[in-house]
Amino acid sequence: MEDLIRTALEAAQGPGVRFADVRAFTAYRYEKLSVKNGIAEALTRTEEAGIGIRVLRERGWGFAGTSERTPAAVRRAAERAARLAAASERTRKEPVPFTEERDLPHEGRYETPLQSDPFQMDAEEKIRHLRDAEAELHVDPAVKVGRAHMTFWQEDKWYLSSEGASYRASLTHSGAGIEATAVGEGEVQRRSYPTSFGGNFAQGGFEFVSSLDLRAHAREVGRTAVELLTARAAPRGSMDLVLASDQLALQVHESVGHATELDRILAYEAGFAGTSFLTTAGLGTFRYGSPAMNITADATRPGGLGTFPWDDEGVPGQKYSLVKEGILVDFLSSREMAARIGRTRSGGTARGDGYLRTPLIRMTNVNLEPGERSAQELLHEVRDGIYMETNRSWSIDDKRLNFQFGCEVGRRIRGGELGPLLRNPIYSGMTPKFWSSLEAVGGPETWRLWGLPNCGKGQPGQVMRVGHGAPMGLFRKARVGGPR
Amino acid sequence: MTTAGSREGSPIPWPDGDRSRELLERVLAAVHEPADVRYYREQWTTLRSANSMLYQPHSETVESISLRICSEDGRLGVATSTEISAEGIAALVRRARALAQVAPAVRDFPGFPEDPGTPTPAIPVARGVFQDDLEARGQALADAFAVVEDEIGPARISGVVNQGISQLAVANTSGLHRNSYRTVAQANFLTEIASRDPPPSGWAEMAHWDPARLDLIGLAREAARITPRVRPRMAKPGRYRVLLSGSALFELLSFLSWMGLGALSVEEGWSFLVNGQGKRVAAPEITLVDDPRNPRGLPAALDAEGLPMRRRTLIDRGVARGPAHDTLTAARARTRSTANALPPEAPAGSIGPIPRNLLLRPGTATLEELVKELRRGILVTRFHYVRSVHPGKTTLTGMTRDGTYWVERGEVQHPITNLRFTEGILSTLAGTELVGGKVRAYGDERGFMSAVLPSLVSRSFTFPSATTF
């Protein structure tokens, strides 16, 4: 494969090319195991390999990816990337800016620390875990669907650039979850653990899945799904809102993570994902939220889905603040976008979804940093409010301002105490106003790092695995409830 | 844009020929259990524009195999690979078999389908897609950008022009062996007057099986001409009559397919068809069809089990018909497959069969008549970030974008700022009063979901909140 990668890089450096890089996936492994109502569902094991080639001419980029691994095929791909860059120049008058990143190391290797490599394990053991957990979900005939899933990814990547960089990384991501769907008279309710849409995910091996102990939580998940069928509907109105860590993580993702992507801010994503309400002029002055709001982008935190040694432009993973005490202080950036706002260094967040996709600005681990209060202390701040946990639906406008989130579980808070379950809780708001109503965040014991494996962006579509740490959070006078 | 030699007719072989038959036979020869195998080969070119320049041009070529093995007692395992050497195929078989040996048994698995004997549908496929002239396409985009600026002056133009050819060949141990090619192309333009805050915007999109039929200049002009010259006025949340464009309807009807028109959602009890099949769920003006061979859309010949796809009515003059089936769900429901199987590998494998080539039967109204019928309400060009809120009730939430207009006295008055909607798809279809006569094809970027749709007027649509832009 090494010869092929070097052939690709050499072929990409034709006349007029300023920069070229090659990302070879010498192995990409993916395994999805799912058990539904006791039967297997889409047990899949994928193994791929291929090469993605990027070419930068003076005024345009080109990208070509191929799964064909012959010298002729990679030369064809390199030629296509170069022709696309030339085609791009037909529409551009100005040179493409690009940070130089002069003092980067030229070589590096990285491997996810693993206790138990999921791709070396017996499939039987993994299936047994799933069957045992799924069976426990069926605590009542109203649980019509029980599901338990596990998903694993392993990427052996080799990055080479015309600047002389040569980085090799082997990243392993693992995750699992369970969910029960209960069906009653005109009502469908779902409850998940540890959170919805597949569970929780981390960089690591099967040891992370074991730590979730799906089976131990399954009966409670089944019971809650059934209980939700007859729970009172969540109230509507303006009231204090306490968000659990998993929902607050998604709130960060949608209303901070995407909003701080510099390509969106500069309208390079306008046609599809949208832009951002943020502007470069607001850097250092724009009040994003209350002083309790401290957001970092941290590609260095062990165990995160957004943790990596180098991004897909060869820039080291970094940790920096995006929002400090409620003020916008930085953006997520790539080499081109950083240079577009006059910077000499990238924020190191460009990643591509496999060898068939070009790198884009993607979230790393974008975290809401914890405060000091315990969960109990936070709840005691609420005389009459609502608590929500675990996302059920999410939607936000193309500037990341107007959002609406539905959760699986709500509970009324009265006098600082959690009350009985409420079904179909929804809250909505406008991003800066909502974050300005953040009164307090919970301490480290309420903070958890979540892995989101399904962040979509780009055309053609890319799905990225990103991380978000979040504590519990208290928002004053939030808009609660959907339309009648 | 033109692609040399594009025309209907027999598919184009790859430069190195079609090796699907040999590969599928090699894979099936390596298994001794019942199995089916798919061969995929695709080439796509996506030209993505932003800030009035070609920003991310992209090309991909991929060739892969998906193998599903069934053990004797109905245990299924799926493996996929891009490694098609002898060693790669041996490893593929080992992985699929390893999963099939440990999987919990699938209830009522009927085996892989025999060949139904009917010919593979002859669908139109464009020639010349593989050998496209990339530089000419860059120039075509530059020309389209110039047209926009001629129409509205300095503008921020975004969009995508996408085209590809894909091959799907399927074989199984029951004797089925089918091969098909498909071409897909889409284009869209977003035109914004960025000097104004909030920027007025226009949107136009289309899809076709033949890239040569994408009229980039016409499409760019269409987006430019509907870009308002005035700043949008603040919208007020509430319930309004709506005129939904084909683009907006494509979003809603795609969700309807995912949420309720497939057999798995019926099995699991959360589809509206559980209580709605055979009943009136929409206005009599609504006839929704799964029409995979429609040459006005993005035709497809085979489902992922290799069965010839066929036309089937989903909602007949307002009355819901049965769900889409693959071989497995059909066996459980004691019926026949409707040839709507998705690939068995994750993530599609857990979705189950769904209709993916929708046609909403057009009426006769012109756009002017639709606006007149709307009387007082909101014209929606496009939705954004739509998500399910309540699948059983087909309730969605999302935002309007890129052209939301206030209509009064049957005339478009002015653009308004964007609104959030939370509304049921079926209640929108039930409230349909008038359907447009002009249809257009829409498709997602790989043509996975496509539709041929008119615009329509519905009597009530809930917008619980509004934005400031």
Side-chain angles (χ1 to χ4, degrees), chain A residues 30-36 38-50 59-69 76 79-92 123-124 127 131 144-145 147 181 183 186-188 253-254 258 263-264 266-275 336-337 340 355-360 392-404 424 426 428 430 457-462 479 482-484, chain B residues 16 19 41 43-64 75-84 92 95 98-99 102-107 129-130 132-139 141-142 145 156 158-160 188 190 192 198-199 203 239 264 267-270 332 344-347 349-350 382 384-390 392-393 397-402 418 420-422 445-446 462 464-469:
Chain A
Y30 165 73
E31 188 172 73
K32 169 87 179 179
L33 306 174
S34 176
V35 170
K36 183 184 89 171
I39 64 170
E41 185 186 50
L43 302 189
T44 299
R45 175 80 179 262
T46 291
E47 298 223 3
E48 293 185 17
R59 291 178 287 119
W61 284 105
F63 171 84
T66 182
S67 67
E68 295 176 41
R69 278 161 292 137
R76 270 200 307 272
E79 186 212 346
R80 259 184 105 72
R83 285 177 57 203
L84 285 166
S88 183
E89 288 193 316
R90 303 274 184 120
T91 67
R92 295 184 185 232
E124 192 164 10
I127 300 278
R131 293 184 74 165
K144 297 295 184 199
V145 182
R147 255 200 189 98
T181 303
V183 180
E187 192 62 48
V188 179
H253 178 90
E254 300 291 0
H258 279 305
D263 50 357
R264 293 184 68 118
L266 298 177
Y268 285 89
E269 293 287 329
F272 181 60
T275 58
E336 178 184 348
M337 294 301 148
R340 285 194 179 279
Y355 56 92
L356 295 174
R357 296 291 182 267
T358 196
L360 304 172
R392 193 166 86 158
S393 71
W394 70 100
S395 175
I396 189 163
D397 69 34
D398 55 301
K399 283 188 185 293
R400 301 281 145 176
L401 267 176
N402 179 311
F403 62 81
Q404 177 176 304
N424 303 337
I426 289 175
S428 56
M430 299 289 276
K457 190 177 177 183
Q459 291 172 299
Q462 302 198 26
R479 193 162 68 220
R484 290 188 194 286
Chain B
D16 53 356
R19 46 188 170 177
R41 190 168 187 185
Q43 179 171 298
W44 294 92
T45 304
T46 306
L47 304 182
R48 189 180 195 211
S49 302
N51 284 310
S52 307
M53 57 187 163
L54 178 48
Y55 165 53
Q56 279 175 346
H58 164 104
S59 169
E60 67 182 88
T61 307
V62 66
E63 187 176 24
S64 64
R75 301 164 188 268
L76 292 167
V78 184
T80 73
S81 180
T82 53
E83 178 58 63
I84 54 175
L92 177 80
R95 289 196 298 273
L99 288 176
V102 299
V106 173
R107 180 171 60 91
V129 177
F130 190 88
D132 49 348
D133 183 344
L134 299 174
E135 290 80 2
R137 297 177 72 200
Q139 188 57 50
L141 270 174
F145 297 159
R156 186 168 74 199
S158 309
V160 74
N188 61 57
L190 168 66
E192 298 175 284
W203 171 260
R239 286 178 81 86
L264 214 52
E267 280 184 12
E268 294 179 1
W270 48 270
R332 290 201 285 247
E345 59 268 20
S350 55
R382 189 184 176 202
H384 174 76
Y385 220 121
V386 177
R387 292 290 181 271
S388 161
V389 173
H390 196 306
K393 295 175 181 166
T397 189
M399 299 296 302
T400 67
R401 70 180 287 188
D402 304 330
N418 288 303
R420 169 168 299 287
F421 78 91
T422 302
E445 65 186 17
R446 294 294 185 254
T462 305
S465 63
T467 62
T468 53
F469 64 91

Side-chain angles (χ1 to χ4, degrees), chain A residues 232-302:
Chain A
R232 293 183 63 175
R236 294 163 50 87
S238 172
M239 64 179 63
D240 291 349
L241 169 67
V242 174
L243 292 180
S245 166
D246 64 345
Q247 176 56 33
L248 196 40
L250 192 68
Q251 180 77 46
V252 169
H253 178 90
E254 300 291 0
S255 67
V256 183
H258 279 305
T260 53
E261 291 166 349
L262 192 50
D263 50 357
R264 293 184 68 118
I265 293 166
L266 298 177
Y268 285 89
E269 293 287 329
F272 181 60
T275 58
S276 173
F277 67 94
L278 298 173
T279 64
T280 52
L283 197 65
T285 57
F286 177 74
R287 177 154 289 284
Y288 212 121
S290 75
M293 182 188 189
N294 288 289
I295 304 270
T296 55
D298 185 0
T300 67
R301 188 178 180 92

